[in-house]
Every structure is written in structure tokens, then in C-alpha cells.
Amino acid sequence: MIYLDYAASSIKRKEILQEILDNMEDFDGNPASTHASGRRAKEILEGAREKLARSIGADKDEIVFTSGASESNNTIIENFKGKKILTSNIGHDSILNPVNGANTIYLKADQEGMISIDDLKKNLDGVSLLALTYVNNELGSIQRVEEIGEILAKRKVHFHLDAVQAYGHLDIDVKKIKCDSLSLSGHKIGGLNGFGLLYLKGQVKPLIKGGDQEKDRRAGTSYTMGAFSMAKAFDKAILERDHIREIKKYFLEKLQGRSIEFEVNGSLDKSSDHIVNLYFPKLKSDFLLTYLDMNGILASAGSACRAGSLKPSKTIANVYGEERASHSIRFSFGFTNTKEDIDKVVEVLGKVG
């Protein structure tokens, strides 16, 4: 199998899983327990918190551990229910689905996947929350978050970012961005599923109520293994950037060298190095995905959040139209991919394109 769907979820890092298995007794206790086993788990949990905080330029007390970015996004949006919210029309579903349409303004992204700064400024009156996706999960487009942060710093608008696709691929500094909150998921960089975090300045009403874990910001028994795996995975992810960048570049060069008709959706200059979305005018995306799968190549047409669906990308439909979306495929790269993999993919595409 050649896995080209890292934007949906990364291949798991076996060496991290093995380290957990080899030291399983360290993870047995509940970090809230006061006995020796609990204290050891607490040490691991807080060590991961400090490390993950540093990775985005935050203080450790500003990190709330959650089940992932969807929970983190929903936590913030829930705190602004009934108030005026600003977002984009190509945001992640975990932002677009919980917002109240009657109180929400949707900024339209252009064909590069970028929102207009002028449109943003024009629509800020009365807004309490701006919720954006830092790197679009289907186009890979990178929003101008530092410029936006500067604009919002002069207003009483909470600035929230879903930075899932940016983490490990871009340098993130929440102080430079001037965001008030930011969400991440561990499985996107090779950590365990079901773990993520919310960077938060200040306090929020918890989405999940129960015990007083996470300083009363999120109830539930702490997921020590998840925190450990995400912190370990980040160390590896930042060392793999050059490799992933080279794989994407090689893929596009090889495609251009073959008689395969395609166009890039979005802008290569304004996108993350691990995602490329391609339009194949002569091939329907559902057929092409099935054909690739039969040849051991795994890619996607849209967001993995639309569980089990072969429907065209809503993002591509919003910026290009339904017809182009029905002929578009997302390829996303990661640490297991090789140039030999790319040669095989291009060979397979050449037979059908």
C-alpha cells in the first residue's frame, strides 16, 4: 500500500507505540491519584504538556488536553452561542457544523483558498468570535494569520484557529499570531487517535463537565498515553519537513513529465508542503479513487470527516464549483513516502489519465 492520505490521519509511529508498550507500567495509574503509580503518570502527563506548550510558543498553563481538535473547536464555539461569529466558507466541519447560521457571517475564500483581508475588516462590527482554519485540510492553503491577529488585537474579538494541518509543517507561535485559542490533534502527526489540545488564553465554560481535571476546563480522566505520543511525534515531525517538501515537489515534477492532464487546485506558493489537490478534467474523482485503491494507492476526494463518503470536496465546490470538485483528488504526504512510491503512483495515473 502507498499511503497518500496523511491529511486525514498519519501512519502511526511504531517506535513510539513500542516505547509505550515497553514501559506500560508508567501509564497504568490515573494522574489524579496521589499514590506512586498516579504520580508517575502525572509526571509523564505534565512533561508532555510542557513540551507541547513550547512547540507552539505557549505557557504550559495555557494548554488544555482534549480528545482532539473537533472537541477543542466545539468548546470555543459553544462559549459564543447566540453571539455574532465570523468564519470562512471553507472551514473545517468541526467549525462549520456547530456555528449558528443565523448569527454567522461566512467569508468567501478565493480560488487560492484565501479569505480577503478587506472583507474581514468590513465584517468585524459586532463580531465576538472569529474562527478560522489555519491550513485548509483539502487545499492546503495557509491563511495570513499573523496579519489577521494584528487586526483583531485592536478589537474585542476572540480569535480562534484550527491549526491541525499546520502543526508539524509550519512554525507556530501563538504569541506572534496573537490568537486567543488554537486547536490541535495528535493523530495528524503520528500520535495516538483520540487526543488533542486546546491552547487557551483565559477561561472558558467546559464543554465536558464532571471532575475538575485540566483546572476545571475539561473533565475526564487524563489520556496519558495520548499526551506522551503527541509530544514524541512532534519531535519527529519537525525533522521530516524537508523530506515531505521534496516528495510533493517530486510528485508534481513527475506528473508534468507525463501526458497526464491535470491542474493544481489552489496556489502552490500559498499552501502547506504536505497537501496538494489536483483537478483531472477527464476523470471523475469517485472512479479515480477506486482505481487508485485497486492499485494499492490510498488518497481522498474530500474531508475524512465525511465518514465513508466518496462525495466531492465541499471546499473545492465552494471555490471552483461542483463540476470541478467531482474531478478533484487530494494527495497528502508524510514520513513513510518515498520517491519510489511516487514513481509507482505516476505510473498508475499515466495508465488511466
Side-chain angles (χ1 to χ4, degrees), residues 156-348:
K156 292 184 178 179
V157 178
H158 185 106
F159 183 21
H160 175 69
L161 278 177
D162 178 330
V164 163
Q165 298 294 347
Y167 194 57
H169 302 285
L170 303 176
D171 293 330
I172 299 175
D173 187 329
V174 292
K175 301 298 192 289
K176 287 183 179 179
I177 295 170
K178 293 183 171 63
C179 58
D180 299 288
S181 55
L182 177 145
S183 57
L184 300 173
S185 287
H187 74 100
K188 299 294 188 179
I189 58 170
L192 292 171
N193 291 44
F195 180 83
L197 63 83
L198 172 65
Y199 157 74
L200 179 66
K201 288 197 303 187
Q203 193 73 7
V204 293
K205 294 177 183 177
L207 184 68
I208 297 178
K209 301 175 178 66
D212 59 2
Q213 293 93 344
E214 298 298 312
K215 298 185 177 180
D216 289 324
R217 297 172 296 186
R218 198 270 189 185
T221 302
S222 300
Y223 187 12
T224 310
M225 288 183 190
F228 176 84
S229 71
M230 183 174 176
K232 283 278 186 177
F234 177 76
D235 287 342
K236 297 177 181 295
I238 59 174
L239 298 176
E240 296 158 353
R241 290 179 180 177
D242 289 344
H243 170 72
I244 293 169
R245 184 182 302 114
E246 182 60 28
I247 289 294
K248 177 178 173 179
K249 179 183 176 185
Y250 185 75
F251 176 54
L252 292 170
E253 287 174 350
K254 295 292 282 189
L255 278 178
Q256 289 162 356
R258 299 287 295 263
S259 56
I260 302 170
E261 189 175 346
F262 76 94
E263 295 175 20
V264 175
N265 291 323
S267 167
L268 289 176
D269 294 334
K270 299 176 183 177
S271 68
S272 173
D273 290 328
H274 72 299
I275 296 173
V276 65
N277 199 298
L278 301 182
Y279 165 55
F280 297 93
K282 295 180 179 179
L283 300 168
K284 295 277 283 187
S285 54
D286 53 358
F287 162 77
L288 186 52
L289 282 177
T290 302
Y291 176 75
L292 289 171
D293 194 14
M294 290 173 63
N295 283 274
I297 299 164
L298 312 181
S300 62
S303 172
C305 293
R306 298 170 183 275
S309 174
L310 282 177
K311 291 181 180 178
S313 161
K314 185 173 70 174
T315 292
I316 306 301
N318 280 341
V319 297
Y320 286 100
E322 292 284 348
E323 177 61 20
R324 186 163 177 130
S326 68
H327 289 260
S328 295
I329 298 288
R330 178 187 69 184
F331 299 91
S332 49
F333 311 100
F335 68 95
T336 63
N337 298 139
T338 65
K339 289 185 176 180
E340 289 74 22
D341 289 341
I342 299 305
D343 290 339
K344 173 69 183 301
V345 174
V346 172
E347 178 187 346
V348 169

Side-chain angles (χ1 to χ4, degrees), residues 27 45 64 78 123 137 145 152 156 163 236 241 269 341:
F27 300 90
L45 187 75
V64 182
E78 185 65 28
N123 286 283
N137 59 310
V145 296
L152 297 187
K156 292 184 178 179
K236 297 177 181 295
R241 290 179 180 177
D269 294 334
D341 289 341

Side-chain angles (χ1 to χ4, degrees), residues 109-124:
D110 61 22
Q111 291 191 351
E112 293 184 334
M114 308 296 290
I115 64 167
S116 162
I117 298 297
D118 287 339
D119 283 350
L120 170 69
K121 291 177 178 177
K122 290 175 186 175
N123 286 283
L124 281 175

Side-chain angles (χ1 to χ4, degrees), residues 132-170:
L132 290 179
T133 304
Y134 189 166
V135 171
N136 183 268
N137 59 310
E138 296 179 42
L139 281 171
S141 49
I142 304 169
Q143 296 299 335
R144 293 166 285 185
V145 296
E146 290 191 20
E147 184 177 353
I148 293 169
E150 286 289 346
I151 294 168
L152 297 187
K154 302 168 187 175
R155 296 173 174 264
K156 292 184 178 179
V157 178
H158 185 106
F159 183 21
H160 175 69
L161 278 177
D162 178 330
V164 163
Q165 298 294 347
Y167 194 57
H169 302 285
L170 303 176

